[in-house]
Amino acid sequence: MRRLWPWSDDDEVANELAGEAAAAAAAAEDVVPIVLDPNAAAFFDVDNTLIRGASIYHFARGLAARKLFTFRDLGMFALGQVAFRLRGAENAEHISTAREAALAFVAGRRVEELVSLCEEIYDDKMADRIWHGTRALALKHLDAGQQVWLVTATPVELARIISHRLGLTGALGTVAETEDGVYTGRLVGHLLHGPAKAGAVRALARNEGLDLSRCAAYSDSFNDLPMLTTVGHPHAVNPDGDLRDHAREHDWPIHDFRTGRKVTMVALPAAAGTGALVGGVAAGVALRRHHRGR
């Protein structure tokens, strides 16, 4: 079984900061209060849990279609993501490279520009890739009067749009620093990944008065174990091998909606840690520049 991340003390501080920033950004949204069961909520990962493949990869496709990102860059990004999946492990250097490339991509752009692009590309590239089974699970929680939040390394701007389009409560995502409506090229803490997701869930629970022992969480990835074990009712959705083994060992519910397309879906980029701020989208650009430099 894969080991979880060997975070340093500095990483732990950055993870907590990322979680607090995500919860604070969520609090800034106009969320309609739910009174039927205000102390319980469900938290859903996005990539390969709610949406087939990686949301950032689909966003990159949309950028390429709009001539903002080349198809060559997209191909390099896809190859890097597939290699990452086949390797079956993540490392801090890989995520750091993706983060730096992503921040370089958004630095100097206006928030409203990115939000507009996210709205267009979701409708064009992502809406028909939602797992209906996972959405049904989310709606079940809504019908019970509980809040439903997305928790993802994807930029919070894109995560919010996915949440809004699906009628969910809100989203916790990676937060980029802005000044006067323009991205500075820096993150607030780390990417919202691994332990940072758990920190965001805990922070939101404090803000919303949630009882985490009554909350549920859903993910496809063993890397989300910190989030899954933060709540009282963890679920595995379209799980990778390590998470499936862990779920079976601990008698967690397992939901698999991949059916006949299972092999194809597993082969798609999974994003995970590289689903950064307009995420690993710019990773292909960074790789190309690196090779040119050599």
Side-chain angles (χ1 to χ4, degrees), residues 15-27 156 160 172-175 188-189 192 200 203:
N15 283 329
E16 287 299 319
L17 181 59
E20 293 285 352
V156 67
R160 283 173 179 163
L172 302 168
T174 295
V175 178
V188 180
L192 200 70

Side-chain angles (χ1 to χ4, degrees), residues 6 13 23 25 60 78 80 110 131 136 142 154 189 193 195 203 212 229 231-232 238 240 248 250 256 265 274 285:
V13 171
R110 298 198 63 82
W131 291 109
L142 289 175
T154 291
H193 171 67
L212 286 173
T229 55
V231 302
N238 305 327
D240 61 30
R248 286 172 173 167
H250 293 83
D256 201 323
M265 291 304 106
T274 51
V285 178

Side-chain angles (χ1 to χ4, degrees), residues 9 36 42 51 54 73 89 102 109 158 163 170 182 208 214 228 248 258 272 277-278:
D9 291 341
L36 183 59
I51 189 170
D73 294 333
R109 295 178 182 270
L158 179 56
S163 174
V182 176
E208 297 289 322
R214 298 189 59 239
L228 293 169
R248 286 172 173 167
R258 289 172 288 197
L277 169 66
V278 181

Side-chain angles (χ1 to χ4, degrees), residues 194-214:
K197 285 188 177 182
V201 167
R202 290 192 297 268
L204 185 74
R206 291 192 296 268
N207 294 345
E208 297 289 322
L210 301 173
D211 178 356
L212 286 173
S213 69
R214 298 189 59 239

